[in-house]
Amino acid sequence: DAGVIQSPRHEVTEMGQEVTLRCKPISGHNSLFWYRQTMMRGLELLIYFNNNVPIDDSGMPEDRFSAKMPNASFSTLKIQPSEPRDSAVYFCASSLRGLGGSGANVLTFGAGSRLTVL
Amino acid sequence: GEDVEQSLFLSVREGDSSVINCTYTDSSSTYLYWYKQEPGAGLQLLTYIFSNMDMKQDQRLTVLLNKKDKHLSLRIADTQTGDSAIYFCAEPVSNYQLIWGAGTKLIIKP
């Protein structure tokens, strides 16, 4: 298995532009997470999907952020319009199931998309 | 509210043992996790411990859990340069929410 695949790995854009980040989770995983990592705030959960349905998007900072999961093998995180304070590393992660239930549930992270908004 | 605390840096000499500490607040967590993040990469699971265990050993890694004090530690024996990374402690607080520590950057001195 190739793991969780994210693209692009690096994105530099100008303020006001639209940014789309993409994620392919591990086949068979039914839970997908989008995280943002910054020095100031650490790891923040932006949105959680279960079986392609958004369950909790309370971490999405503003209406400028949106996420979709049209099928089990693809998700996008879109920022429109982008602002310099959106500069961060965005991670997608998937797991076989949610974190509850019996047994340890492991998140598998992608390599991340480093976004720089000038 | 729930919180996970870690010191930000740890510096050790190559060959020595590293001990990374973490304190957490939610006593109902069933598992506690350690993740490792190498430069330019995503986080990867290093190990985890079930809450009814005091200790778990896996090759060079030893996890100690003190539930009374809500203290978790990760010991890396014979620390190597390849162990340079940021180590995150995490506890689940819901079916999908993990509370993450800020991460401890392990620095290896030759």
Side-chain angles (χ1 to χ4, degrees):
Chain A
D1 196 325
V4 176
I5 299 172
Q6 291 187 245
S7 65
R9 288 296 315 276
H10 302 274
E11 174 93 7
V12 180
T13 190
E14 292 189 345
M15 184 172 64
Q17 296 298 305
E18 178 179 294
V19 173
T20 299
L21 308 178
R22 297 172 178 81
C23 174
K24 177 177 166 50
I26 290 175
S27 177
H29 281 191
N30 75 356
S31 293
L32 185 137
F33 306 76
W34 281 100
Y35 280 93
R36 179 171 67 177
Q37 185 179 39
T38 60
M39 291 290 292
M40 292 296 295
R41 301 173 70 91
L43 271 167
E44 301 173 276
L45 177 65
L46 299 178
I47 187 167
Y48 165 62
F49 290 89
N50 184 257
N51 291 322
N52 313 338
V53 176
I55 303 299
D56 185 350
D57 65 354
S58 60
M60 298 285 261
E62 314 171 17
D63 291 345
R64 298 184 296 107
F65 285 69
S66 62
K68 294 182 179 179
M69 192 164 185
N71 56 62
S73 59
F74 184 65
S75 177
T76 59
L77 178 68
K78 186 177 291 187
I79 308 171
Q80 166 63 18
S82 59
E83 296 183 3
R85 60 195 167 118
D86 302 329
S87 298
V89 181
Y90 291 82
F91 288 106
C92 176
S94 70
S95 69
L96 193 59
R97 57 180 191 274
L99 300 175
S102 61
N105 296 310
V106 175
L107 294 184
T108 302
F109 282 78
S113 295
R114 180 175 293 275
L115 173 64
T116 302
V117 183
L118 303 174
Chain B
E2 300 93 359
D3 195 16
V4 173
E5 294 190 353
Q6 302 177 241
S7 53
L8 294 181
F9 298 96
L10 176 66
S11 179
V12 299
R13 292 200 178 279
E14 189 175 359
D16 288 351
S17 291
S18 306
V19 180
I20 301 170
N21 295 302
C22 168
T23 57
Y24 61 96
T25 55
D26 188 345
S27 59
S28 65
S29 297
T30 53
Y31 287 90
L32 292 155
Y33 300 88
W34 284 104
Y35 281 77
K36 176 183 180 182
Q37 184 179 27
E38 296 181 350
L43 284 73
Q44 61 183 92
L45 181 74
L46 195 60
T47 187
Y48 60 87
I49 188 167
F50 187 47
S51 59
N52 71 352
M53 297 171 66
D54 298 325
M55 184 180 81
K56 178 181 179 182
Q57 190 151 1
D58 183 3
Q59 299 181 349
R60 292 191 299 121
L61 304 178
T62 302
V63 179
L64 296 177
L65 176 60
N66 181 330
K67 286 187 68 177
K68 174 176 169 290
D69 295 336
K70 297 180 184 173
H71 183 265
L72 183 72
S73 68
L74 173 70
R75 178 177 179 268
I76 305 172
D78 187 23
T79 307
Q80 303 297 308
T81 54
D83 296 323
S84 293
I86 301 175
Y87 292 82
F88 292 89
C89 171
E91 63 163 336
V93 292
S94 76
N95 284 346
Y96 56 90
Q97 271 280 16
L98 278 166
I99 302 298
W100 297 87
T104 299
K105 184 171 185 176
L106 181 60
I107 300 163
I108 315 298
K109 295 181 287 188

